[in-house]
Amino acid sequence: MKIYKAKDYEELSRKAASIIASQVLMKPDCVLGLATGSTPIGTYKQLIEWYNKGDLDFSSVKSVNLDEYRGLTRDNDQSYYYFMYNNLFKHININMDCTNVPDGTQSDSDKECSRYEDVIKSLGGIDLQLLGLGHNGHIGFNEPDEEFAKTTHCVNLTQSTIEANKRFFASIDEVPKQAYTMGIGTIMKAKKILLVVSGSDKAQILHDVLSGPVTPHVPASVLQLHNDVIVVADEAAMAKF
Ligand code: GLP
């Protein structure tokens, strides 16, 4: 595991973007696993800036997103499809037919989750998976549990995640209670993983993730077992090291 300590959020975003940019430069038709949440927004902004300067070409890139709220349509401004479209896809030359986000409107969760696993398999797996970190150690929407989930599945969001995400909704009642997410097994199959973590409120959990025992109670701790993980965290998030 490589750990890069960035001075602040801006430097974190530049470092993370440069790792994604190298992946795209080295393999123009790579499969990028993408993430939502506030942490990767600066990374996406930096990629857009380099694209606008003519330094990056996303025309052959394919993407798969980690997760999506169950029940939200693509045009709902809180859906992860909407997030990805507005924070990245519409600003670059990626082919929208080559972007994938679980379909939150599919009520048959087993069917949608196995379809999504098949999509990832048919693309030949993920070259680089970007991850943010939840305050409870979740990655994607893999919440603390008794065991690591293997494949894409439907999850009941924990109260703490609902609380953390209510800032984006008009009221807590509007926060979906379920989501479709890649499993820990799906994530761990990615060839390379890039975890971005920012802020003092993530310092304790980042310490548990990197230095504590590997346990499904701290889902991201499983990353200790992956052979190609890069962590980019700012000084505030690294405060416990
Ligand atoms: C959500 C997403 C996660 C993300 C997490 C942390 O729950 N499903 O993929 O990592 O939020 O988000 P933030 O970066 O805003 O702290």
Side-chain angles (χ1 to χ4, degrees):
M1 183 178 290
K2 295 187 195 86
I3 301 175
Y4 291 114
K5 189 171 172 178
K7 190 167 81 258
D8 52 22
Y9 180 72
E10 282 65 39
E11 192 181 309
L12 174 159
S13 301
R14 280 199 306 277
K15 279 190 195 297
S18 64
I19 293 162
I20 298 172
S22 335
Q23 174 67 69
V24 173
L25 289 169
M26 285 192 295
K27 188 177 175 192
D29 61 346
C30 63
V31 179
L32 293 180
L34 298 174
T36 55
S38 50
T39 316
I41 290 178
T43 306
Y44 294 149
K45 280 201 177 119
Q46 183 63 75
L47 289 172
I48 294 164
E49 203 179 306
W50 286 333
Y51 166 74
N52 286 334
K53 283 189 179 148
D55 293 337
L56 278 175
D57 176 14
F58 292 90
S59 60
S60 303
V61 168
K62 288 155 274 181
S63 74
V64 282
N65 258 79
L66 280 169
D67 48 10
E68 178 60 283
Y69 286 116
R70 189 176 187 201
L72 296 193
T73 55
R74 286 176 159 194
D75 59 352
N76 184 307
D77 64 3
Q78 291 310 323
S79 77
Y80 285 168
Y81 181 93
Y82 189 98
F83 175 102
M84 288 310 303
Y85 185 72
N86 286 287
N87 285 297
L88 183 65
F89 298 154
K90 77 172 183 190
H91 303 286
I92 59 175
N93 65 339
I94 197 165
N95 176 351
M96 285 305 293
D97 292 339
C98 295
T99 67
N100 297 279
V101 180
D103 183 351
T105 64
Q106 288 299 328
S107 52
D108 185 338
S109 59
D110 288 348
K111 198 169 153 198
E112 175 53 14
C113 293
S114 69
R115 181 196 71 83
Y116 203 66
E117 278 293 311
D118 288 346
V119 166
I120 298 169
K121 272 190 210 124
S122 71
L123 293 172
I126 299 165
D127 289 300
L128 172 64
Q129 177 65 56
L130 174 63
L131 297 176
L133 181 64
H135 288 99
N136 58 6
H138 75 220
I139 43 178
F141 266 134
N142 289 278
E143 299 280 33
D145 205 344
E146 294 307 315
E147 53 186 36
F148 291 116
K150 291 188 182 65
T151 57
T152 303
H153 59 292
C154 181
V155 283
N156 296 319
L157 301 179
T158 61
Q159 199 52 36
S160 74
T161 297
I162 293 170
E163 284 286 339
N165 290 348
K166 74 174 183 202
R167 60 200 153 122
F168 302 115
F169 292 83
S171 77
I172 193 160
D173 298 332
E174 287 180 29
V175 186
K177 308 291 179 286
Q178 290 185 312
Y180 296 147
T181 181
M182 281 184 199
I184 293 290
T186 327
I187 294 169
M188 289 292 280
K189 276 196 212 138
K191 294 179 190 101
K192 193 183 265 295
I193 292 178
L194 169 59
L195 175 70
V196 288
V197 191
S198 170
S200 55
D201 51 326
K202 300 270 177 79
Q204 184 59 52
I205 191 67
L206 183 61
H207 188 265
D208 296 348
V209 164
L210 301 181
S211 306
V214 174
T215 162
H217 295 291
V218 181
S221 64
V222 77
L223 299 176
Q224 293 178 33
L225 305 178
H226 193 283
N227 64 9
D228 195 356
V229 176
I230 306 177
V231 179
V232 183
D234 59 18
E235 271 175 14
M238 290 291 284
K240 303 265 175 197
F241 288 89

